[in-house]
Amino acid sequence: MLRQWWVAVGVAALALWFFISIEPVLMPFFVSMVLAYLGDPLADRLEAKGLSRRLSVSLVFLLLTMIIVISVLLVVPVLGRQLGQLVESLPAVLNWVEETVLPRVQSLTGMDLTTDIDALRKTVMANWKETGSFAAALLSQVSRSGLAFVAWIGNLALIPVVTFYLLLDWDILVAKVRDWLPRRWETSVIRLAGECDEVLSAFLRGQLIVMLCLGGIYAIGLTLLGVSFGLLIGLLSGLASIVPYLGVIVGISVAGVVAFFQVGEWWMLLGVAAVFGFGQIVESVVLQPKLLGNKIGLHPVAVIFAVLAGGNLFGFTGVLLALPAAAVIMVLLRELNERYKNSPLYDAKLSRHDDEELP
């Protein structure tokens, strides 16, 4: 039995080394797996209505493609413009902080931060104009590294192809994996896989929709309010909502500063608070109960740690794998805890000799 465990550990270590070695190649396949996982339930529903699997997958694939293309065509250019405007306005923002905010802070607290802000302002003023030349240098470097650029384009082109075939054969692949399981482990593995799927589906599908809805509410509300960079701030706040309350804290802070700098009136802060308050009401009353419920079970600290650790270890691929891996580990730890609580080790009776030795 011990020898089998050592063999399993060796195989796992070898597999980990192999995946780390080919990590640059894995990115399109993991992106395709995530997209196929998100689209498979809809394909199954269409198939249940009488459509063929190929037609169902084609419709889902077309829907995913349209969503991605429309998002890129509509959102990315606006985000690019607002990001450029943000870079151009940084010197003016720092001047406003130095001339308006710092005197008020000094009068209230007695702290003199003028020297630090002045040094920061000089650094920004000296380097912000180099952004364009940096972008040009980066583009030149990409052009010189023709092979890397071609490989990057090839990886992007692989994503739709791999996604389509994974969607087409998803149920077949799941059935084959189940057939490979040892018979004595099948029941336990299928139960644990079901729990993992419940957590992942709630998080990846439900939380993704919640993030997009909140990002849309914040972006539209701030834009209608007339806040500069409203689309950029709103979408970033929606993405930050992957951690509960982080999106609203970051969004209302940044949007409040921008709005007050832009207008200089306190009523703008009330408008920003109203936008984010409306978003929180929609999330609490509609989005969370309908889409997530109590199925996630991932602690916010675990989410932050998983994303940072995955990105640090494996880059973008690690970020994609972080939350699924965290969900699986959480389910396994829950199972181990349950077995430990039901084991003789946990519920062992103390002998009289043991009881006397305890303090």
Side-chain angles (χ1 to χ4, degrees), residues 56-309:
S56 302
V57 168
S58 299
L59 292 175
V60 173
F61 183 79
L62 180 62
L63 178 62
L64 288 175
T65 304
M66 289 177 59
I67 292 174
I68 294 174
V69 169
I70 292 174
S71 300
V72 170
L73 292 178
L74 294 181
V75 176
V76 171
V78 179
L79 284 179
R81 286 196 301 269
Q82 292 197 357
L83 192 58
Q85 295 170 2
L86 177 62
V87 172
E88 293 177 357
S89 64
L90 280 179
V93 172
L94 289 175
N95 285 332
W96 173 76
V97 170
E98 186 178 14
E99 297 172 1
T100 305
V101 177
L102 290 186
R104 296 186 182 182
V105 172
Q106 186 174 1
S107 64
L108 292 174
T109 64
M111 298 174 59
D112 186 8
L113 303 176
T114 306
T115 304
D116 297 334
I117 292 297
D118 186 58
L120 178 62
R121 181 180 62 82
K122 291 179 179 178
T123 303
V124 173
M125 290 291 290
N127 294 283
W128 72 278
K129 292 183 178 180
E130 297 180 4
T131 304
S133 60
F134 172 76
L138 181 62
L139 183 60
S140 175
Q141 179 65 31
V142 169
S143 301
R144 287 197 299 269
S145 306
L147 186 60
F149 181 72
V150 170
W152 183 73
I153 294 297
N155 284 339
L156 287 181
L158 272 178
I159 292 177
V161 178
V162 177
T163 301
F164 180 82
Y165 283 109
L166 283 178
L167 263 176
L168 189 63
D169 296 330
W170 188 268
D171 294 337
I172 298 175
L173 293 173
V174 171
K176 285 185 177 180
V177 171
R178 181 171 183 172
D179 187 58
W180 290 339
L181 295 174
R183 297 300 93 185
R184 60 175 180 170
W185 295 352
E186 182 182 11
T187 303
S188 298
V189 171
I190 294 302
R191 177 176 56 81
L192 292 175
E195 295 180 11
C196 293
D197 177 69
E198 187 177 11
V199 174
L200 283 175
S201 61
F203 201 95
L204 290 180
R205 298 187 186 107
Q207 189 65 39
L208 179 62
I209 296 175
V210 170
M211 289 161 54
L212 292 176
C213 291
L214 288 178
I217 291 173
Y218 297 152
I220 293 173
L222 294 176
T223 302
L224 293 178
L225 193 62
V227 178
S228 299
F229 323 117
L231 180 64
L232 180 62
I233 297 172
L235 292 182
L236 290 179
S237 301
L239 292 177
S241 298
I242 190 172
V243 179
Y245 304 112
L246 179 63
V248 67
I249 293 173
V250 172
I252 201 169
S253 302
V254 175
V257 171
V258 171
F260 190 74
F261 167 75
Q262 179 183 348
V263 179
E265 299 291 341
W266 291 103
W267 65 265
M268 282 291 287
L269 298 182
L270 296 177
V272 170
V275 170
F276 283 91
F278 176 74
Q280 287 300 293
I281 292 174
V282 172
E283 180 186 12
S284 302
V285 176
V286 179
L287 299 178
Q288 286 280 355
K290 297 292 184 181
L291 298 175
L292 298 178
N294 297 318
K295 298 177 181 178
I296 291 183
L298 286 175
H299 194 277
V301 176
V303 173
I304 298 173
F305 177 80
V307 172
L308 293 180

